[in-house]
Amino acid sequence: MATCTRSVWKVLAGCQRQLLRAGAPAYTGISPTAQRNLPVRTFAAVKAQKEEDTEKAKKPRVVIDDKDRHKPFGKTAWAPVDDVYVMRFYPQAIYDAGDAIDMLKNFQKLDFAPHNQPVYIDLRLDMKLEKKKKVDPFVSTLTLPHPFKTEMNKVLVFTEDANLVKVAQENGAMLAGGVELMQPILDDEISADFYIAVPEILPKILPLKNKLRKKFPKSRRGTVGVQISKMLELFKTGHEYMVESNCFVRTQIGTLDMPKEHIFANLQTILIDVCSHRPAKMGPFIERAIIASHTSEALWFKSEDVLPTPEEEE
């Protein structure tokens, strides 16, 4: 009898285990009510904008006016008293263009530097226009009133017209010809400072575009036209500058051994040409102007004093 009872209890226990495995959830340390397949979000939620952020965005930017202050904001004084001072404690000194040129000449004498070293300018331009538009970076070639180069630029003319080839040679072109000049240029046998061309030959010299890059003839740079003599007159003695890094113009304007008036005249010519690439109604074009020689420190100067006033232009 006892044996039969034990057998019955074993059968009932096995049935109970079988029922638990089939119907009841197994215990894994997680609540049975928790979802097994959690949803995965593949996008970022938008951060709710606080009222404080909107108020800050609406507030106009406060510009500190130092005009009537006894000293500039965050500085020690307007100008240092001693000859030796910490530059970050005083505002950047900005000189008249004529005074800056005189200072460069004095630096050359004190440093015993070469008297014929080059003089450079560094301009930062405001390229912004209306409605988020910008002035496109440009390249310009102009004739300086007092050239400082000792040698003329080498100019090559592309044309298949025999008469224009003769005109180019008479006006000082280094070489003039048609497609026969392409292979020597690709092989680096011929190199020039400027390449000019007539409109008819442009489709034939397109293979040179990757080789010449910025020097390839383009109408917006004035290197494509039919007036070969005038183009040669400009590019043989012309001075070229371009906008670098979207808003900077860095170019040479003369040498220190030139008279001050000649350096100033070259500076004024370049600044006027630079400002001609921006609409007059948009306001000043030059944000910052620096002049320096090869061995001297950089001097900030007032570009607005160099440019002619509207009355003078009229």
Side-chain angles (χ1 to χ4, degrees), residues 99-305:
D99 296 339
I101 296 173
D102 289 334
M103 293 176 67
L104 293 181
K105 289 182 174 291
N106 291 331
F107 293 158
Q108 179 267 323
K109 295 177 182 178
L110 295 172
D111 296 338
F112 298 98
H115 66 282
N116 59 347
Q117 59 181 303
V119 179
Y120 302 97
I121 58 170
D122 186 334
L123 309 176
R124 185 176 65 196
L125 309 180
D126 181 11
M127 306 289 281
K128 296 179 182 178
L129 295 175
E130 294 178 348
K131 298 181 180 179
K132 297 184 179 180
K133 295 182 179 180
K134 293 184 178 181
V135 179
D136 296 329
F138 53 88
V139 180
S140 182
T141 305
L142 68 158
T143 302
L144 296 175
H146 304 284
F148 52 86
K149 293 182 179 179
T150 56
E151 298 180 358
M152 287 190 177
N153 299 322
K154 298 178 181 178
V155 185
L156 188 146
V157 181
F158 287 108
T159 179
E160 293 180 331
D161 190 341
N163 295 329
L164 292 179
V165 170
K166 185 178 179 180
V167 171
Q169 293 174 348
E170 291 175 353
N171 286 272
M174 182 188 74
L175 278 175
V179 293
E180 68 275 4
L181 298 176
M182 290 176 54
Q183 194 59 42
I185 294 174
L186 292 173
D187 296 338
D188 294 327
E189 297 177 3
I190 298 175
S191 178
D193 298 317
F194 294 97
Y195 298 85
I196 63 178
V198 294
E200 295 79 13
I201 202 173
L202 279 180
K204 300 180 181 180
I205 62 173
L206 284 178
L208 293 175
K209 199 165 187 178
N210 292 334
K211 178 68 176 178
L212 300 181
R213 296 178 180 259
K214 294 181 179 180
K215 292 184 178 181
F216 188 81
K218 296 179 182 178
S219 33
R220 66 186 180 92
R221 294 184 62 181
T223 52
V224 177
V226 295
Q227 298 179 349
I228 300 297
S229 58
K230 290 185 178 180
M231 295 166 66
L232 282 170
E233 184 180 355
L234 171 63
F235 289 103
K236 278 193 308 180
T237 59
H239 177 74
E240 184 183 57
Y241 70 89
M242 65 181 65
V243 176
E244 304 173 4
S245 303
N246 297 323
C247 65
F248 293 98
V249 172
R250 303 180 179 99
T251 185
Q252 184 179 355
I253 63 171
T255 56
L256 269 182
D257 57 347
M258 296 172 59
K260 172 185 173 181
E261 295 77 14
H262 292 184
I263 299 176
F264 186 88
N266 288 350
L267 172 64
Q268 188 178 43
T269 303
I270 293 176
L271 293 188
I272 292 174
D273 188 79
V274 168
C275 293
S276 66
H277 290 84
R278 178 184 171 97
K281 63 180 181 180
M282 297 305 298
F285 194 22
I286 301 174
E287 292 183 336
R288 185 216 62 198
I290 296 176
I291 187 170
S293 64
H294 191 67
T295 59
S296 73
E297 63 180 275
L299 301 175
W300 293 37
F301 69 93
K302 302 174 184 177
S303 59
E304 59 273 11
D305 295 343

Side-chain angles (χ1 to χ4, degrees), residues 30-47:
I30 304 176
S31 175
T33 58
Q35 296 183 1
R36 291 172 179 255
N37 298 324
L38 297 177
V40 179
R41 186 174 64 191
T42 59
F43 57 90
V46 180
K47 184 180 178 181

